[in-house]
Amino acid sequence: MSEVVFETERLVARRLEPGDEVAMLEVYGDAEAMRWVGDGVPLTAEQCDRWLVVTAENYRLRGYGMFALVERASAKVVGFCGLVHPAGQAEAEAKYAFARGAWGRGLATEALRALLGYGSSAHGLQEIIATVAPDNAASQRVLLKAGMREGAPRAEDDGTRTLCFSWRPRPPAMSVEPVSYADFDDPPADLMGVVDDGLESYNRQAAPLDEVRPLATFAHGPDGKLVGGAVGRTWGECCELQQLWVASGHRERGIASRLLRQFEVRAAGRGCSVFYLTTLSFQAPDFYRRHGYASIAEIRGYPQDIAKYLMRKEAAARREQP
């Protein structure tokens, strides 16, 4: 057997050798198998002979090319795969084809995964591409299962499109210095500050947090003393109510409802149409339900069978959008 280049559970990939033109003609001379290969025209015996010569030159120049796939169980060549550079293109392109009797068994995905790993580990390839016709759904599934990602389609001179997929090796895992761990029932303020600052820094790099704006509505009694407040924040179309409080001597007077309505009106003026909050079962879930909020999540496991609810309400205009 010629030089083995990689192996899988069911296949052995080796370099082409004289005599492979017979199996090659069986695969590439089959009109149905060639429907999605190249120009869709089956190869002749003479073209298969020529392919062996071209592949031998590719081995000499690049160290790789097309390979024969030998099935372990039968010891027969059931297909071909490899890495080529059509028309001298810079990127290595993965190609594969199987004899009709080997279809539908997952051999293409198995071979392609190993081929991609071989190209990276044996030849240092940092990107391997593949091209496929838009109507060739089977090959598209194979490419995705093998770990390739679909990119922008390529426009051809005849007006058709070709789908392009690419694969890059995962970067090697970074070595990690030994890490120690410590638990605290009363965490030190300085360590908590480091965690808060680190998370804040990450969040601000990842999302436009500068657009988050605080919002509050307060209620004062005749003496000017604060008797209630609704506090939250807005971000885009969303408004979070973080706190709603009314002093004990002023409850059951409609102050909470007025605070909530005014808070929502002000948020709507900022373009908000989605309102949400969390409340505990001993707080005010029924109050919020009466004001149009619905529970979308419930967490239990607190003492005394206390539950926490995540509640949400959408403005009517948003609900009516198609």
Side-chain angles (χ1 to χ4, degrees), residues 34 43 83 91 111 126-127 139 142 144 153 185 196 198 206 220 233 244 265 271 275 282 303 313 317 319:
M34 287 295 289
L43 298 187
L83 300 168
E91 304 89 348
Q126 294 303 301
E127 182 179 25
S139 283
V142 168
L144 292 173
D185 292 325
D196 288 342
H220 296 84
R233 55 189 175 182
L244 178 61
V265 168
F275 304 86
F282 64 84
K313 177 172 76 172
R319 292 197 301 269

Side-chain angles (χ1 to χ4, degrees), residues 255-302:
I255 296 176
S257 295
R258 178 64 182 272
L259 282 169
L260 180 60
R261 285 195 297 268
Q262 192 160 325
F263 177 86
E264 291 175 343
V265 168
R266 185 63 182 272
R270 293 183 180 181
C272 294
S273 56
V274 179
F275 304 86
Y276 67 97
L277 57 92
T278 58
T279 186
L280 295 168
S281 54
F282 64 84
Q283 292 177 325
D286 291 337
F287 167 82
Y288 292 117
R289 290 189 183 101
R290 290 196 300 271
H291 287 79
Y293 286 81
S295 177
I296 59 175
E298 178 180 326
I299 301 173
R300 290 192 175 272
Y302 299 107

